[in-house]
Amino acid sequence: MGRLYGQLQDAARASLTPFDTMFEVTRRCNLRCAHCYNPPDRTAAEMDTAQACAALDKIAAAGGFMLTFTGGEAMCRPDFLDIAAHARSLGFAVTLISNGTLITAEAARRMAALGFADVGVTLYGARPGPHEAVTRTPGSHEKSLRGIQNILDAGLHATLRSVIMKPNRGEHEALVQFAADRGMRQLIDVHVSPRQDSDPAPVELQLPEEDLEPLYADPRLNLSFAGLPRTGPPRPDCDAGRSVCAVCPDGTVYPCIQLPVSLGNIVQQSFDEIWNGPSARDLRELMAGPLPECSACALGGYCLRCSGVAFLEGRGLLGPSPSACQGARVIARLLGHGHAATDAVKS
């Protein structure tokens, strides 16, 4: 399946087909996670049910296939499962990223009946203390566990999603075991991005570099660096605006959820106007070029840079990303090339 998915993604990239869409149905959320990438104001305008379904029609007509619903918390919308049902009627492979607290047994059964491909639940600790240090919401751990059980009882494929940060430091072993005990896939990361308005506050929660090496070295975590070091100068090498896009609650289309640059609005425009418009074309042209400031970096072959994160970090689409520089130093040391990390200029 992985090989076939890769082939489909390659074909979509070559043909500029929006193969994979992240669809934010709301910015509302019942938790107050310390590292959330959404700005604190959760009152953003939302498409109504008909507008959201019409947006899905446009993406499907353009060749969209993979669809991930997210928020905020998607389950805060009473009509979410109706929107999801429309997506399935269009043939989308549908997944959901949720905090799990609002997924009742009935909701999970309906997701299973609709044929959701996966339901990912964010969990920051196997114990309430670490989890709620992140969510800042008493009782949220128990509710998330109940949601996970409802998902599993309904026979859905479930993924545990987490980020290891200062508030839940040391929880990765317990989370890996939690997922294994329940037959869940797990995606555990260590990267914390600025908010979508470029507020750097969440980055203060990132673990210091000296604490990252054992996590990068753990093959069970979502920190794979197979194929590194690469040869040649680093390049953007990004699918944003090529085979990937994101739709915001009000219909604004971004090239990627990590790259909050408006390409247009799907309520007001056709998808073709957005996807083949001047903003999208300019972005692709820019992203096809080199990375001028990174071209001579000794860590270039170890870098897993994301242009969207670099943009949010205030370095521009083509500038160096401090978080990627940090990761590259760790990877270089793990691969036994510590001299590269020592010689490189720290960002």
Side-chain angles (χ1 to χ4, degrees), residues 257-298:
I257 198 69
Q258 289 273 44
L259 185 51
V261 176
S262 175
L263 302 180
N265 188 287
I266 202 166
V267 176
Q268 302 160 4
Q269 300 169 268
S270 71
F271 192 80
D272 182 70
E273 285 179 289
I274 298 168
W275 199 240
N276 297 307
S279 296
R281 291 198 306 269
D282 289 349
L283 174 78
R284 291 177 194 128
E285 183 176 347
L286 185 66
M287 297 285 277
L291 298 170
E293 295 182 62
C294 301
S295 59
C297 179

Side-chain angles (χ1 to χ4, degrees), residues 84-311:
H86 185 71
R88 289 293 296 135
S89 75
L90 295 170
F92 281 107
V94 169
T95 63
L96 169 65
I97 299 174
S98 168
N99 62 44
T101 60
L102 303 178
I103 298 180
T104 63
E106 180 182 356
R109 286 193 293 268
R110 188 172 176 195
M111 290 177 198
L114 288 172
F116 275 45
D118 183 77
V119 180
V121 177
T122 49
L123 193 69
Y124 302 106
R127 297 170 293 135
H131 178 79
E132 292 173 11
V134 176
T135 66
R136 300 186 296 188
T137 308
S140 59
H141 186 259
E142 180 182 353
K143 291 177 181 177
S144 289
L145 293 188
R146 189 180 307 128
I148 289 171
Q149 194 58 53
N150 289 335
I151 292 163
L152 295 172
D153 288 345
L156 285 158
H157 189 283
T159 299
L160 183 151
R161 304 176 69 98
S162 193
V163 182
I164 302 300
M165 306 166 275
K166 291 175 182 176
N168 65 338
R169 186 196 311 254
E171 278 298 292
H172 73 281
E173 290 283 358
L175 288 170
V176 168
Q177 191 62 52
F178 179 97
D181 289 345
R182 292 159 178 79
M184 300 172 69
R185 189 170 68 118
Q186 54 82 13
L187 293 174
I188 297 178
D189 203 350
V190 296
H191 301 111
V192 183
S193 300
R195 294 195 180 109
Q196 284 193 334
D197 57 3
S198 293
D199 182 344
V203 180
E204 296 177 7
L205 302 175
Q206 174 119 0
L207 292 174
E209 185 171 325
E210 58 268 23
D211 291 349
L212 293 177
E213 196 161 318
L215 297 172
Y216 270 85
D218 190 333
R220 300 169 301 174
L221 305 191
N222 186 37
L223 301 167
S224 172
F225 43 90
L228 298 183
R230 300 188 182 114
T231 58
R235 303 185 69 82
D237 190 27
C238 182
D239 289 333
R242 296 184 64 85
S243 63
V244 169
C245 69
V247 179
C248 300
D250 67 352
T252 300
V253 176
Y254 292 160
C256 170
I257 198 69
Q258 289 273 44
L259 185 51
V261 176
S262 175
L263 302 180
N265 188 287
I266 202 166
V267 176
Q268 302 160 4
Q269 300 169 268
S270 71
F271 192 80
D272 182 70
E273 285 179 289
I274 298 168
W275 199 240
N276 297 307
S279 296
R281 291 198 306 269
D282 289 349
L283 174 78
R284 291 177 194 128
E285 183 176 347
L286 185 66
M287 297 285 277
L291 298 170
E293 295 182 62
C294 301
S295 59
C297 179
L299 292 175
Y302 307 89
C303 185
L304 297 172
R305 176 188 177 280
C306 168
S307 293
V309 172
F311 177 85

